[in-house]
């Protein structure tokens, strides 16, 4: 049986500059490691504000190569702390080819690989299709020093297919770096149901696959109402679900927090023995799932 | 936009004989129709006790052809009440070929078709692999007079693939006839988490697909502790989830109940416009979901 391992979730607010965010993220990573975390994840696009609230070609300047300057900085930190890192970045791959990418750094500072967000949303104030080319690396797993992990980014989490394929790859935990929040004008009417639906989907991934699921969201308001930008209130609530679907650690919706949670592969083993869903999958009959639509 | 329609969920206890169960089910169906239900579902294998608690070849005598005597009786009721029916039966297809099957009867009494349970469990006291040949009809939809519907049976509900394919077929609501309960010796330690996980998965199907999900479970204890058969305590809790994931009607865990719930296709339309998950599915990248396992 695989060893227990400890994950860290860094729930942060965005600061004014990329450098401030990186410095602050590193401080949080150090704190998480000090508290025992071995695999530490930041939220989606931790480098700055959630810039997809507007479509502006100048914002492509925020992108950087992966590996690049930020992964170089984080690799030093990973090595120093003997901790693996899950870092979400705006990747410049080529002129006109940008991705929403997670770099997975192992505890020796090596770059284990990348995951590029596969499902790209496009909603009012979440104009991601303007910025991000859909991922082309599939649903990989990464063997960190401490555990085999998978990554799904924000919108990906609404798709059972992505989490299923990642779990079939052997991931013991899936990290979901996220930037999700409320539209201020919708919050009163729909806010509670939206948050509840988001939590429900994460928990369902853990249950259906018998894995740990770690959602790492940003927190805090970003916008300029005085300039007509109503903004988004990112709802935090980073949390970890155990393989039986129970939430075992959860942050609040208003401030920066670090969650440090021990994960026990024996719990996955036990869950999959007692609710052996993977045994009975009808892989002979799932072909229609590759269609866009089947109905009339 | 499609018209609103009203569904009925009959949560029953098992009685001594098949005839008593059928008579009682018909009485409940009448009551549901009287209260406005147009599409009415019974729980899984409503004809009797959940017989899969033991492996006994004599119990194959309980099976019947579909269509057969029970669908003939129910067809009369459907026609009389102008209501479509979702009826779960133990189907004898041929010597040695038995299925856990749902017959869908339309409001004119015609048999619209069958769904044969695709995922067959096998757990202590749920020895279904002994009785049921896995389904070979895929994940169909049925155009009843009032709405297009899909069916998943009990264990199927743990598989996002089944609900996804059924939803892609255009189902406005998926019915989940079910026989799920607690092992009495496990209830204190795991009971709450098990029920919670079950509810969570149903709700996730509704959210991921923007559909109504209707779970119809049996209720009550079945077993003979005095004869060493510890039995199962079926937990009821039949419920309906709206396309936004919110539970809009729910039964308790101890008695027979009938739920009658109006469903509005405009709510699915609205949900899918505002959370347009189906737009962004990566059907080019889901091929690995057809594997049993991908990891090392």
């Amino acid at each position: 049986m695989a060893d227990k391992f400890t994950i860290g979730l860094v729930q942060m607010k965005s600061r004014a500059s990329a450098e401030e965010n990186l410095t602050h993220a590193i401080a949080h990573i150090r704190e998480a490691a000090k508290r025992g975390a071995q695999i530490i994840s930041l939220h989606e696009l931790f480098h700055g504000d959630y810039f997809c609230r507007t479509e502006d070609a100048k914002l492509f300047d925020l992108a950087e190569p992966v590996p690049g300057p930020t992964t170089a900085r984080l690799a030093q930190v990973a090595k120093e702390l003997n901790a693996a890192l899950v870092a979400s970045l705006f990747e410049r791959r080529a002129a006109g080819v940008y991705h929403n990418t997670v770099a997975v750094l192992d505890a020796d500072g090596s770059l284990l690989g990348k995951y590029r967000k596969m499902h790209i949303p496009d909603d009012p104030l979440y104009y991601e299709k303007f910025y991000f080319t859909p991922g082309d690396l599939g649903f990989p797993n990464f063997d960190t020093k401490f555990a085999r992990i998978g990554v799904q980014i924000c919108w990906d989490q609404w798709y059972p297919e992505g989490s299923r394929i990642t779990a079939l790859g052997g991931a013991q935990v899936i990290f979901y770096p996220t930037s999700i929040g409320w539209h201020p004008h919708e919050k009163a009417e729909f806010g509670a149901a939206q948050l509840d639906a988001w939590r429900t989907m994460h928990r369902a991934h853990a249950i259906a696959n018998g894995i740990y699921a770690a959602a790492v969201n940003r927190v805090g308001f970003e916008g300029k109402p005085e300039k007509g930008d109503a903004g988004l209130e990112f709802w935090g609530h980073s949390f970890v679900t155990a393989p039986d679907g129970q939430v075992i650690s959860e942050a609040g919706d208003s401030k920066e927090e670090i969650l440090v949670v021990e994960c026990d592969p024996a719990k996955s083993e036990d869950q999959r023995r007692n609710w052996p869903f993977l045994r009975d999958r009808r892989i002979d009959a799932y072909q229609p799932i590759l269609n866009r639509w089947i109905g009339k």
Side-chain angles (χ1 to χ4, degrees), chain A:
Chain A
M1 188 76 66
D3 292 336
K4 293 177 185 178
F5 58 93
T6 301
I7 60 176
L9 289 68
V10 174
Q11 173 171 303
M12 275 174 58
K13 287 184 185 180
S14 177
R15 281 158 177 76
S17 72
E19 181 56 32
E20 280 176 88
N21 278 304
L22 181 56
T23 303
H24 204 74
I26 290 171
H28 279 321
I29 290 167
R30 285 187 198 285
E31 173 64 20
K34 199 169 154 187
R35 288 169 50 192
Q38 297 168 310
I39 310 169
I40 302 166
S41 178
L42 303 167
H43 69 253
E44 185 187 23
L45 301 168
F46 76 95
H47 235 162
D49 279 9
Y50 179 72
F51 58 86
C52 312
R53 290 184 291 111
T54 182
E55 296 196 1
D56 181 350
K58 281 200 286 294
L59 295 176
F60 285 106
D61 285 342
L62 297 170
E64 62 173 308
V66 178
T70 303
T71 56
R73 290 272 292 278
L74 291 173
Q76 290 180 329
V77 176
K79 189 173 178 182
E80 176 200 327
L81 300 174
N82 188 34
L85 301 179
V86 175
S88 165
L89 299 161
F90 185 17
E91 179 187 11
R92 184 188 188 282
R93 187 178 185 182
V97 185
Y98 300 82
H99 295 285
N100 186 327
T101 297
V102 156
V104 180
L105 297 157
D106 207 357
D108 62 0
S110 63
L111 178 67
L112 282 177
K114 294 190 264 197
Y115 168 73
R116 291 183 176 132
K117 188 171 184 172
M118 292 290 281
H119 304 93
I120 309 295
D122 201 279
D123 278 321
L125 297 192
Y126 293 89
Y127 301 112
E128 295 199 18
K129 287 194 193 297
F130 178 75
Y131 294 103
F132 306 127
T133 303
D136 58 349
L137 297 174
F139 301 93
N141 273 217
F142 307 93
D143 278 313
T144 74
K145 180 178 176 182
F146 310 103
R148 188 164 168 87
I149 71 169
V151 177
Q152 291 280 272
I153 304 173
C154 203
W155 193 241
D156 287 329
Q157 82 93 14
W158 300 100
Y159 297 83
E161 293 93 340
S163 291
R164 173 70 96 198
I165 295 170
T166 305
L168 291 178
Q172 297 166 281
V173 54
I174 301 179
F175 289 94
Y176 300 82
T178 298
S179 295
I180 191 169
W182 293 296
H183 291 282
H185 69 281
E186 284 185 359
K187 186 179 175 186
E189 185 175 357
F190 300 110
Q194 289 171 345
L195 173 59
D196 185 37
W198 177 76
R199 292 176 86 253
T200 299
M201 287 301 303
H202 280 281
R203 295 182 56 211
H205 299 322
I207 297 163
N209 298 293
I211 53 161
Y212 287 91
V216 192
N217 193 22
R218 69 172 67 208
V219 69
F221 178 78
E222 298 178 20
K224 292 181 181 123
E226 69 282 5
K227 292 190 182 170
D229 170 6
L232 290 169
E233 183 183 342
F234 295 98
W235 67 43
H237 273 288
S238 300
F239 71 108
V240 178
T241 308
D244 65 354
Q246 295 296 293
V247 175
I248 53 176
S249 184
E250 183 166 19
D253 66 4
S254 58
K255 63 180 205 296
E256 298 199 330
E257 292 185 53
I258 296 169
L259 304 181
V260 176
V261 179
E262 187 184 72
C263 300
D264 184 356
K267 289 214 193 299
S268 283
E269 182 84 18
D270 187 59
Q271 190 65 25
R272 289 183 182 177
R273 287 183 188 191
N274 285 287
W275 280 359
F277 306 141
L278 296 184
R279 180 192 62 194
D280 300 328
R281 294 179 65 241
R282 291 297 304 272
I283 55 174
D284 61 311
Y286 293 157
Q287 188 76 29
I289 209 167
L290 303 180
N291 291 295
R292 184 69 65 201
W293 185 249
I294 309 168
K296 293 181 293 189

